Amino acid sequence: MAFEAMFAPIQIGKLTIRNRVLSTAHAEVYATDGGMTTDRYVKYYEEKAKGGIGLAICGGSSVVAIDSPQEWWSSVNLSTDRIIPHFQNLADAMHKHGAKIMIQITHMGRRSRWDGFNWPTLMSPSGVREPVHRATCKTIEPEEIWRVIGNYAQAARRAKAGGLDGVELSAVHQHMIDQFWSPRVNKRTDEWGGTFEGRMKFGLEVLKAVRAEVGDDFCVGMRICGDEFHPDGLSHEDMKQIAKYYDDTGMLDFIGVVGSGCDTHNTLANVIPNMSYPPEPFLHLAAGIKEVVKAPVLHAQNIKDPNQATRILEGGYVDMVGMTRAHIADPHLIAKIKMGQVDQIKQCVGANYCIDRQYQGLDVLCIQNAATSREYMGVPHIIEKTTGVKRKVVVVGAGNVAMDCVRSAVRLGASKVHLVYRRTRDDMPADHEEIEAAEKEGVVFHCLNNPSRLICENGRVTGVEVVEMRQTGTDSRGRSQIESIPGSERVVACDYLIAAIGQQVDRGTLSPDDGITINRYGCIEADPDTLETSRTGVFAGGDCVLGPLTLIHA
C-alpha cells in the first residue's frame, strides 16, 4: 500500500492507535450548552472517526475551573460533573468506528478576555497581562495555586469517567502551566518561581495530581511549544530541557510539540500557519524535542497531504503527524488514501477561515467544505450516486470551480455533462490536470461557444442557447480574442445549468478616498502583468479585476 508509514499502528501508553495520523486539539466553538459536548460537537468528531483517523484530541483549551473563562468562545467545560454523560456520548461515537478520543485540559491563566462571564479577574504567576488579550490579571496566590492543581485532577477524573481515552495537558499557548515556565511572565521569588525547578513546580504538581487521580492505565500527555521566539523567552534549548525534565518523571505517555509561542500577535500567526508559510515550518523543533525524550512525539502545523505525512514519518522526525486543518477540510482523508482516491481529497489551502472565525467566538467552519460541522443537520460528506432519474447538466465556465462542478456531476450519476466555454481549450484557467481528468471522465467540452440565453418550459430550464465563436487574435495576456459567428446559434439540452463564471466585486470596504480606480464595469483597474492598482502597494487580481466574463439572458 502507498503511504504505508501513515498506517502503522502505534502504542501510546496503554493505548494501541490504529494509525499514525491524529487531529490535534483545536477550539471548535460548538460546546454551546454551557460548555457541554453537544450533538453537533459529537457528530463533527464522529465524522473523522468514520473517515479512518487514528486519534482525535478534542477541545482545544478546555477549562478545568470557572476562573478560566470559556463561555465567550464555547469551549468545553470540565469544571463540573455535568460533562460526564456528554463525554460518554462522544466516546461511544468515536470508539464504534475504531478511533481513540482524548481531550486537552487547561487553565488559561491570563490568556483570556476580561469579560469572561463567571469571573471578573484573571490570574497569572506575576500579574503580567498578555499582549494579545490585554486583560488585567492578578498575581495568583499559593492557596489558589493548590486549588487549580486540584481542578486539573478533577477534570482528568471526569474525562476518564466519561470514557475518553486520555487527556492532554496544555502547556503550549502561554496558558497557566507555561506561564509559570517562562521568565517573561513568571517574576516570582517564592517556591513557584526563580530557579528552573521553581518555575517547573506548578506543571510538575499538576502532572503528579492528574496521574494520582487517573492511575497508570489512562493516557496522559502534554503539549508544549518548541521555541517561544522571544529574545527574553524560552529558546529551543530551554524547551528541550523542559521536555526532558517532565519526560524523566515517567508520568507522560506522549508529548505534543508546536512551533512558536502564542502571546503576541506575531507569534500567534506562527501557531496556525496560513498559506504564506512553507510546509511543516516548525518540524525541526519537534524533531529536536524527540532527540531528548523517550515518550512518543506528536506534531502538527501545516501538514496537509499524505506525501508530507509519509516523508515526515519515514524520516523518523516524529512519531505521529497531526493533520488537523486537513481533517477540517476533509474528515474522510484517511479513507480516501486507503481507497486510492488521493485526487478526491478536499485539500486545506491555509485560508484560515476556520481559525479566524474561532478567534471571534464564532463556530469553526471550512471554506473548502460546507459539510464540516453541519453533520448534525444531515449534510453529508460523501454523496452517493443518484438512484433516481438521471439528469443532463451544463456548466458554464472553465476555472477550477467549473471543473469541480462537472466532475462532481459525473460522480453523482448525471446522464450527460457538458461544459461551455467562450474561448479555446488552451485558454481555460483551470489546472491542466483537472481539465484532463474531466475529459477522461466523459465531460463534453464546448469550447469557442458563448451562452446567449436560457431555454425554459413551464418555469424549468430545458437548455441553453450557445453561439459559436471564432478566434481573431490574442490579447495582452496571450488569451484568445474572439467574435461571434452570425447564424451559428444552437441549443445544448440540459435539466440543470450551473454558472461558474466569476463573481461581481463587493467594493463595500473601498471608498473614493482610497485612490483605487474603478472602471465603468465596476471592477478594479490593475496592470495585467504586475496586478498593481492605481494606488502604490495595493494589488488586485482575479474576479476583482476581470469581473464575470459571461452574460446569460434568461
Side-chain angles (χ1 to χ4, degrees):
M1 182 197 302
F3 312 113
E4 288 184 8
M6 296 178 65
F7 295 98
I10 184 172
Q11 193 78 16
I12 302 286
K14 301 294 176 64
L15 290 178
T16 300
I17 299 171
R18 61 183 172 184
N19 57 51
R20 299 295 180 109
V21 180
L22 78 148
S23 173
T24 55
H26 71 88
E28 309 88 359
V29 202
Y30 307 150
T32 49
D33 180 21
M36 301 298 107
T37 51
T38 58
D39 183 53
R40 179 184 189 182
Y41 194 106
V42 171
K43 284 185 166 55
Y44 167 74
Y45 277 101
E46 184 179 8
E47 201 68 34
K48 299 183 185 186
K50 288 180 184 177
I53 202 164
L55 168 66
I57 303 177
C58 69
S61 305
S62 298
V63 301
V64 302
I66 63 169
D67 53 358
S68 183
Q70 52 76 229
E71 288 190 32
W72 65 272
W73 59 312
S74 301
S75 65
V76 181
N77 180 8
L78 286 94
S79 70
T80 169
D81 283 354
R82 182 174 167 236
I83 192 65
I84 294 173
H86 293 272
F87 278 162
Q88 290 167 343
N89 294 335
L90 176 61
D92 290 346
M94 299 296 285
H95 292 157
K96 72 181 180 182
H97 299 291
K100 304 300 183 184
I101 180 72
M102 303 184 194
I103 190 166
Q104 184 181 90
I105 63 174
T106 192
H107 193 295
M108 297 180 73
R110 67 176 187 157
R111 185 172 168 73
S112 191
R113 278 172 30 176
W114 61 270
D115 54 341
F117 293 87
N118 287 321
W119 215 257
T121 306
L122 304 181
M123 301 185 295
S124 74
S126 301
V128 180
R129 69 180 184 174
E130 187 199 64
V132 172
H133 291 88
R134 299 187 60 77
T136 301
C137 54
K138 61 165 281 186
T139 298
I140 188 170
E141 300 173 33
E143 296 82 3
E144 294 168 317
I145 290 174
W146 286 110
R147 188 260 301 162
V148 170
I149 290 168
N151 293 151
Y152 272 95
Q154 291 307 303
R157 173 186 64 80
R158 294 176 182 116
K160 184 177 182 180
L164 302 191
D165 298 298
V167 294
E168 177 183 72
L169 306 178
S170 178
V172 65
H173 294 322
Q174 274 72 42
H175 290 193
M176 185 72 86
I177 291 177
D178 47 320
Q179 285 168 30
F180 270 95
W181 290 352
S182 180
R184 298 181 73 244
V185 183
N186 187 349
K187 310 294 184 182
R188 302 175 76 104
T189 57
D190 62 4
E191 61 182 311
W192 303 98
T195 64
F196 174 81
E197 288 74 15
R199 289 186 287 113
M200 296 301 109
K201 182 174 180 178
F202 176 76
L204 180 61
E205 293 297 337
V206 166
L207 180 56
K208 288 162 61 176
V210 166
R211 185 55 83 188
E213 186 66 40
V214 299
D216 294 331
D217 61 341
F218 189 67
C219 203
V220 178
M222 179 178 282
R223 200 176 197 194
I224 67 174
C225 84
D227 190 324
E228 285 193 327
F229 291 136
H230 290 306
D232 57 344
L234 297 169
S235 68
H236 182 47
E237 292 303 315
D238 293 329
M239 292 310 305
K240 288 168 70 173
Q241 181 187 10
I242 290 171
K244 186 177 187 309
Y245 177 84
Y246 284 95
D247 183 62
D248 285 347
T249 66
M251 291 186 284
L252 284 178
D253 295 311
F254 67 89
I255 297 174
V257 181
V258 168
S260 183
C262 199
D263 61 345
T264 66
H265 288 96
N266 286 343
T267 54
L268 178 60
N270 289 335
V271 171
I272 307 98
N274 64 25
M275 61 178 66
S276 69
Y277 283 73
E280 70 266 357
F282 304 113
L283 177 63
H284 64 288
L285 299 178
I289 299 294
K290 181 172 169 56
E291 290 177 352
V292 299
V293 300
K294 297 182 289 293
V297 171
L298 290 47
H299 176 63
Q301 275 174 308
N302 241 21
I303 303 172
K304 296 174 180 174
D305 69 65
N307 294 301
Q308 279 180 277
T310 299
R311 173 171 46 78
I312 291 166
L313 291 168
E314 287 181 345
Y317 298 105
V318 295
D319 300 289
M320 291 190 76
V321 289
M323 303 183 74
T324 308
R325 282 176 295 166
H327 272 84
I328 294 175
D330 195 339
H332 288 254
L333 181 149
I334 298 297
K336 289 178 179 178
I337 295 171
K338 280 188 172 181
M339 294 186 291
Q341 299 174 353
V342 175
D343 63 330
Q344 294 184 30
I345 293 171
K346 297 181 179 73
Q347 184 87 36
C348 172
V349 296
N352 277 5
Y353 180 63
C354 50
I355 195 70
D356 287 348
R357 288 181 60 86
Q358 181 248 299
Y359 272 101
Q360 297 177 65
L362 301 173
D363 51 340
V364 167
L365 301 175
C366 180
I367 200 169
Q368 291 285 78
N369 190 345
T372 291
S373 91
R374 295 186 175 97
E375 298 86 1
Y376 76 110
M377 299 169 63
V379 179
H381 285 269
I382 303 296
I383 302 175
E384 302 296 335
K385 276 193 174 184
T386 180
T387 56
V389 178
K390 296 184 182 298
R391 309 289 187 180
K392 297 183 289 293
V393 177
V394 169
V395 176
V396 180
N400 286 324
V401 172
M403 294 301 158
D404 195 29
C405 290
V406 294
R407 297 187 68 193
S408 295
V410 170
R411 286 196 292 267
L412 297 178
S415 62
K416 201 71 176 177
V417 182
H418 302 265
L419 182 137
V420 176
Y421 181 50
R422 65 200 294 262
R423 299 183 189 273
T424 69
R425 187 187 186 282
D426 290 340
D427 292 320
M428 287 182 171
D431 293 337
H432 292 303
E433 290 181 359
E434 290 286 319
I435 296 169
E436 291 173 2
E439 282 189 311
K440 288 179 181 177
E441 291 168 5
V443 177
V444 179
F445 285 7
H446 300 267
C447 297
L448 285 173
N449 278 265
N450 192 38
S452 55
R453 67 186 181 96
L454 299 178
I455 309 299
C456 300
E457 291 181 11
N458 301 321
R460 291 189 61 88
V461 172
T462 60
V464 57
E465 183 183 271
V466 298
V467 179
E468 191 174 342
M469 312 296 286
R470 61 185 165 214
Q471 188 172 0
T472 61
T474 56
D475 61 18
S476 61
R477 299 184 181 190
R479 299 191 310 171
S480 300
Q481 288 183 317
I482 52 176
E483 64 179 15
S484 59
I485 301 174
S488 63
E489 296 86 354
R490 64 187 178 89
V491 174
V492 180
C494 66
D495 301 299
Y496 296 106
L497 182 137
I498 301 169
I501 55 176
Q503 298 292 320
Q504 188 66 45
V505 181
D506 179 2
R507 303 194 312 276
T509 58
L510 299 177
S511 72
D513 297 332
D514 288 326
I516 297 175
T517 302
I518 307 296
N519 66 24
R520 64 192 180 97
Y521 301 108
C523 299
I524 297 171
E525 285 196 356
D527 184 282
D529 297 317
T530 67
L531 304 183
E532 189 166 15
T533 67
S534 55
R535 181 169 177 177
T536 302
V538 177
F539 300 84
D543 295 341
C544 294
V545 174
L546 300 175
L549 299 181
T550 306
L551 185 63
I552 305 171
H553 294 283

